[in-house]
């Protein structure tokens, strides 16, 4: 957990007098016995990137639930929203599923679609998923309690999995992507702090901010791969042009 999120959880629990434990290993016998002593009906997990041992999953009588920010079985793994931006998706969603010992592989109980508008940041999209996921989780917990929830096995033929991104996943091949795809990727993941490199011919442009994009021909282009318009750099994409500011250029 990052420090701000950790502080937020501690403060939330303190204000509501909710017991809170910080553990080093989920399968530690003391952790298992502490959870079991509460005799929980349900365990709920939100976007937890580690596998949880069967000894814990078997504790609650109604099952263990996870909130996952994708439309499973697509985009299993720890950071599905990054891959939504990387793949240029127009929609993502949240899934509530029963947990098993696989990574995001358990039966689905509920899903909701979330649109990805142009220019949205990772934090904004994550907040939308968290808000909708919280609503869906509360509804699903109640349906489980009443015996109305219907688990649906995931279709393995449609499953995909991506891990944490590598440095290469921040390289954008502009000749293969549309300008809107490039624009939304930059807007989406720029706040991660990793250098985003636009690959243009034999050159790379490190960018931190996209200002706009155009799907029309640019009068200043003269069939070039890129051109300057004042302090703005405009780069030709597979379809259209992407405008950025203050790039660092290297070959």
């Amino acid at each position: 957990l990052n420090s701000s999120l950790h502080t937020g959880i501690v403060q939330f629990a303190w204000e509501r007098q909710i017991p809170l434990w910080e553990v080093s290993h989920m399968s530690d016998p003391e952790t298992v016995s502490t959870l079991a002593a509460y005799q929980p009906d349900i365990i709920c997990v939100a976007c937890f990137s580690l596998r949880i041992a069967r000894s814990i999953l078997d504790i609650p009588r109604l099952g263990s639930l996870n909130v996952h920010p994708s439309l499973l079985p697509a985009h299993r793994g720890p950071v599905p929203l990054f891959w939504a931006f990387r793949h240029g998706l127009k929609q993502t969603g949240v899934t509530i599923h029963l947990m098993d010992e696989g990574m995001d592989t358990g039966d689905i109980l509920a899903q909701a679609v979330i649109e990805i508008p142009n220019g949205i940041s990772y934090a904004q999209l994550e907040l939308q998923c968290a808000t909708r996921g919280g609503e869906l989780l509360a509804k699903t917990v109640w349906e489980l309690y009443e015996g109305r929830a219907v688990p649906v096995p995931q279709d393995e033929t449609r499953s995909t999995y991506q891990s944490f991104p590598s440095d290469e996943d921040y390289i954008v091949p502009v000749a293969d992507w549309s300008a809107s795809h490039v624009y939304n990727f930059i807007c989406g993941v720029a706040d991660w702090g990793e250098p985003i490199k636009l690959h243009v011919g034999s050159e790379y442009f490190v960018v931190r901010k996209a200002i706009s994009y155009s799907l029309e021909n640019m009068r200043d282009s003269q069939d070039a791969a890129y051109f300057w318009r004042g302090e703005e750099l405009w780069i030709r994409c597979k379809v259209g042009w992407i405008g950025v500011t203050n790039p660092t250029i290297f070959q």
Side-chain angles (χ1 to χ4, degrees):
L1 294 176
N2 64 44
S3 58
S4 61
L5 179 58
H6 182 269
T7 302
I9 290 174
V10 172
Q11 184 67 25
F12 184 91
W14 175 263
E15 291 173 352
R16 291 158 179 79
Q17 298 183 338
I18 299 172
L20 185 72
W21 290 269
E22 183 173 347
V23 300
S24 56
H25 299 287
M26 291 295 293
S27 58
D28 185 277
E30 184 177 353
T31 301
V32 176
S33 62
T34 298
L35 287 172
Y38 279 91
Q39 298 181 323
D41 294 317
I42 297 175
I43 288 177
C44 297
V45 173
C47 306
F48 192 66
S49 60
L50 302 177
R51 298 178 190 273
I52 296 179
R54 172 56 62 184
S55 57
I56 290 178
L57 297 178
D58 286 342
I59 291 174
R61 67 182 184 89
L62 296 177
S64 298
L65 304 184
N66 181 40
V67 184
H68 185 77
S70 84
L71 296 174
L72 292 174
H75 301 293
R76 294 170 177 169
V79 285
L81 295 186
F82 174 91
W83 298 103
F85 286 115
R86 177 73 191 179
H87 295 155
L89 302 185
K90 297 299 183 183
Q91 290 183 332
T92 185
V94 288
T95 301
I96 310 298
H97 69 94
L98 290 166
M99 299 183 68
D100 56 22
E101 291 174 285
M103 183 63 75
D104 307 317
T105 56
D107 291 355
I108 293 172
L109 295 171
Q111 284 187 322
V113 173
I114 294 175
E115 302 295 326
I116 305 177
N118 284 338
I120 193 171
S121 70
Y122 192 100
Q124 290 169 329
L125 183 58
E126 187 176 47
L127 179 59
Q128 289 189 19
C129 289
T131 301
R132 188 69 184 94
E135 297 168 349
L136 209 58
L137 177 63
K139 180 174 180 289
T140 303
V141 166
W142 189 249
E143 289 177 349
L144 268 176
Y145 176 74
E146 292 187 327
R148 296 187 291 111
V150 180
V152 178
Q154 296 190 36
D155 182 355
E156 291 299 323
T157 64
R158 296 174 49 243
S159 68
T160 58
Y161 175 87
Q162 294 90 19
S163 187
F164 290 100
S166 66
D167 291 344
E168 292 184 355
D169 295 314
Y170 292 90
I171 298 175
V172 176
V174 296
D176 299 328
W177 289 19
S178 70
S180 61
H181 187 175
V182 178
Y183 175 77
N184 288 324
F185 180 72
I186 296 172
C187 291
V189 305
D191 289 344
W192 279 41
E194 297 293 333
I196 300 171
K197 299 177 182 178
L198 306 188
H199 186 194
V200 186
S202 62
E203 297 176 299
Y204 291 86
F205 297 83
V206 178
V207 301
R208 293 171 178 81
K209 183 179 180 181
I211 55 174
S212 185
Y213 71 92
S214 173
L215 298 181
E216 300 178 356
N217 291 328
M218 305 291 282
R219 290 184 300 172
D220 302 341
S221 67
Q222 299 179 348
D223 298 324
Y226 60 87
F227 67 91
W228 290 91
R229 180 181 288 172
E231 296 182 353
E232 300 175 0
L233 176 65
W234 286 85
I235 300 173
R236 186 191 299 273
C237 302
K238 181 179 181 180
V239 178
W241 294 79
I242 178 71
V244 300
T245 57
N246 300 318
T248 303
I249 308 172
F250 66 95
Q251 295 183 340

